Amino acid sequence: VVSTQSTGETLDTSTIRKMRTPSLISVVLLLLHSGVARSEENSGHNILKFDEGAASYVKFNYSLPQQEGTVCGWVKKLRTGGGAPCWFDYSTPSQDREILALDMGFYYIFGDHLDLRDSTAVPRGKWKLHCFSWSRVENEFKVYFDGDFVGKKDTRVGRMLGQYGKIALGENLRKNGVDVEDPNTRFAGELYQVNIFDKRLDDAVIQKMNAGGLCGDIGEENGLKPYMSWEEILLEERIATSQSLVQDVRRKMRKRRKKKRRKKI
């Protein structure tokens, strides 16, 4: 499969919707089923928890909007060591790190880095709203932290976000065009209300989201309909968890069959 970025192709909305809508069969076939982060209810909030020191992530095929878009989510980082903990990763067949967000204010867009660590000072153990947006028309990638605009990076003229991509929450899982786990990028902490929008949100909307806190609806309460909602992401996690259990059962059954064949011999 060739990314549309390399061909200059612009996909219409109906095509993108078909590509991004995850059927049960496609999720079963294409998700990584080991090390799935677990969801849990905490004071009425459905959060995703990622364990420190273990492969803990959610990954699924999903194409982000090409022309412009925004990702906003509440992030609580808990990792005690160093490394480059990644809470959001989007890669395509032709570009690793199409978008990559680390928990300390370090980002990648189209493979180029943006270092905002001095502007963010992300604390451990506290919920903070992280947002970033991209725009082909404005040729820029903008970052927001705790409701405030903290920096941007100019992008190449006409560069659209690549399609046929994969989203990973909790780890950077693609390097040099190959799917691979990287312990150095494992995120330890919690995520809540990570929503994806197919428009670039303005500063006032993001400030309002931040003011609403964890109890506020990050999407529809602000007059927005997410391109992919937090509820859809949680559905992906639940499907992945269920499939992981099925895979474990199948592995055990295969081992038992091998033992039986050996006994017969």
Side-chain angles (χ1 to χ4, degrees), residues 191-209:
L191 297 180
Y192 179 62
Q193 284 292 354
V194 178
N195 286 274
I196 302 168
F197 303 92
D198 60 0
K199 61 186 294 185
R200 191 170 69 158
L201 305 184
D202 59 35
D203 296 7
V205 171
I206 293 175
Q207 288 171 355
K208 185 179 179 182
M209 283 182 180

Side-chain angles (χ1 to χ4, degrees), residues 38 40 42 47-51 73-79 87 125-128 187-192 194 214 230:
R38 68 180 186 276
E40 59 182 45
N42 184 358
I47 66 173
L48 277 180
K49 184 174 179 61
F50 301 80
D51 295 327
W74 289 92
V75 181
K76 182 199 288 185
K77 76 170 188 176
L78 298 173
R79 183 162 170 167
W87 69 271
K126 293 186 178 181
W127 286 106
K128 293 294 181 179
F187 169 73
E190 298 173 351
L191 297 180
Y192 179 62
V194 178
L214 289 174
W230 179 237

Side-chain angles (χ1 to χ4, degrees), residues 206-226:
I206 293 175
Q207 288 171 355
K208 185 179 179 182
M209 283 182 180
N210 187 68
L214 289 174
C215 295
D217 185 339
I218 208 168
E220 294 183 4
E221 187 176 288
N222 289 290
L224 303 168
K225 184 176 181 181

Side-chain angles (χ1 to χ4, degrees), residues 46-225:
N46 288 314
I47 66 173
L48 277 180
K49 184 174 179 61
F50 301 80
D51 295 327
E52 186 167 8
S56 180
Y57 56 84
V58 177
K59 182 177 181 180
F60 49 92
N61 287 11
Y62 204 90
S63 291
L64 293 183
Q66 284 185 285
Q67 302 290 335
E68 64 177 15
T70 304
V71 173
C72 277
W74 289 92
V75 181
K76 182 199 288 185
K77 76 170 188 176
L78 298 173
R79 183 162 170 167
T80 55
C86 171
W87 69 271
F88 187 94
D89 175 35
Y90 179 68
S91 60
T92 66
S94 64
Q95 178 67 68
D96 299 342
R97 298 176 175 177
E98 187 84 347
I99 294 180
L100 186 114
L102 306 185
D103 70 0
M104 81 287 281
F106 199 94
Y107 296 82
Y108 280 87
I109 175 68
F110 304 142
D112 299 325
H113 76 271
L114 173 61
D115 188 350
L116 296 173
R117 286 174 289 184
D118 292 339
S119 304
T120 52
V122 184
R124 286 185 64 251
K126 293 186 178 181
W127 286 106
K128 293 294 181 179
L129 182 66
H130 294 240
C131 297
F132 54 83
S133 67
W134 62 94
S135 171
R136 172 182 170 275
V137 175
E138 300 296 333
N139 300 310
E140 62 183 12
F141 178 78
K142 299 179 71 175
V143 176
Y144 299 80
F145 175 70
D146 213 16
D148 297 323
F149 168 70
V150 292
K152 70 174 186 176
K153 185 174 185 64
D154 295 332
T155 56
R156 283 162 274 173
V157 175
R159 177 67 154 90
M160 295 182 296
L161 205 64
Q163 296 293 282
Y164 308 104
K166 293 181 180 180
I167 292 175
L169 302 180
E171 191 171 337
N172 177 20
L173 293 170
R174 189 172 177 83
K175 285 190 174 182
N176 301 319
V178 178
D179 290 345
V180 59
E181 289 187 31
D182 181 1
N184 189 55
T185 67
R186 288 175 183 167
F187 169 73
E190 298 173 351
L191 297 180
Y192 179 62
Q193 284 292 354
V194 178
N195 286 274
I196 302 168
F197 303 92
D198 60 0
K199 61 186 294 185
R200 191 170 69 158
L201 305 184
D202 59 35
D203 296 7
V205 171
I206 293 175
Q207 288 171 355
K208 185 179 179 182
M209 283 182 180
N210 187 68
L214 289 174
C215 295
D217 185 339
I218 208 168
E220 294 183 4
E221 187 176 288
N222 289 290
L224 303 168
K225 184 176 181 181

